[in-house]
Amino acid sequence: QVQLVESGGGLVQAGGSLRLSCAASGRTFSSYVMGWFRQAPGKERGFVAAIRSNDNTYYADSVKGRFTISRDNAKNTVYLQMNSLKPEDTAVYYCAATSTTYYSDRYYQDPAHFRSWGQGTQVTVSS
């Protein structure tokens, strides 16, 4: 399994931006599918975005056009650039990794399909 450490969370006003980072251990980072999920109080953990090893990306409808996932394989790091933040984006954001490749992008929207998880970073958006 790969070990993941998130950073970059914080408090921001509505309309602002944050960039989350997730640093991964291991020599095979470039082959992993990386994902970002979030969990608000009292809610289940939900899909935000994912990026394949070929840089194909997928987003939840709620963040399309506002969030961008990217990766830097030389730094073993995946990023989530979050713009035009809304109070409903408030949650703990988790980075996740899986070595499983599957043809359907919907496969990566299920947190159960990711083996490795970071500890999470809090994002709070004030109105």
Side-chain angles (χ1 to χ4, degrees):
Q1 287 188 351
V2 63
Q3 293 188 334
L4 305 172
V5 179
E6 302 101 333
S7 61
L11 173 64
V12 65
Q13 287 189 333
S17 299
L18 281 175
R19 188 175 82 156
L20 305 183
S21 299
C22 173
S25 65
R27 296 175 296 174
T28 58
F29 172 79
S30 61
S31 66
Y32 280 82
V33 177
M34 302 299 297
W36 286 98
F37 292 80
R38 65 187 180 186
Q39 188 167 19
K43 294 188 176 181
E44 292 187 351
R45 192 169 297 188
F47 172 74
V48 176
I51 184 167
R52 290 182 182 260
S53 59
N54 63 1
D55 287 342
N56 281 358
T57 57
Y58 313 102
Y59 297 93
D61 288 343
S62 59
V63 306
K64 278 182 184 176
R66 300 188 299 122
F67 290 12
T68 303
I69 188 171
S70 61
R71 65 192 301 160
D72 185 338
N73 291 332
K75 295 182 178 180
N76 278 17
T77 300
V78 63
Y79 304 97
L80 185 68
Q81 177 66 44
M82 306 185 294
N83 298 328
S84 302
L85 282 161
K86 304 175 181 179
E88 51 263 44
D89 294 318
T90 295
V92 177
Y93 283 70
Y94 296 91
C95 174
T98 180
S99 58
T100 301
T101 54
Y102 197 71
Y103 71 94
S104 172
D105 61 316
R106 292 185 63 84
Y107 178 88
Y108 299 110
Q109 297 177 17
D110 186 345
H113 293 151
F114 286 80
R115 278 185 168 271
S116 300
W117 290 86
Q119 81 287 353
T121 186
Q122 176 71 46
V123 171
T124 303
V125 184
S126 64
S127 58

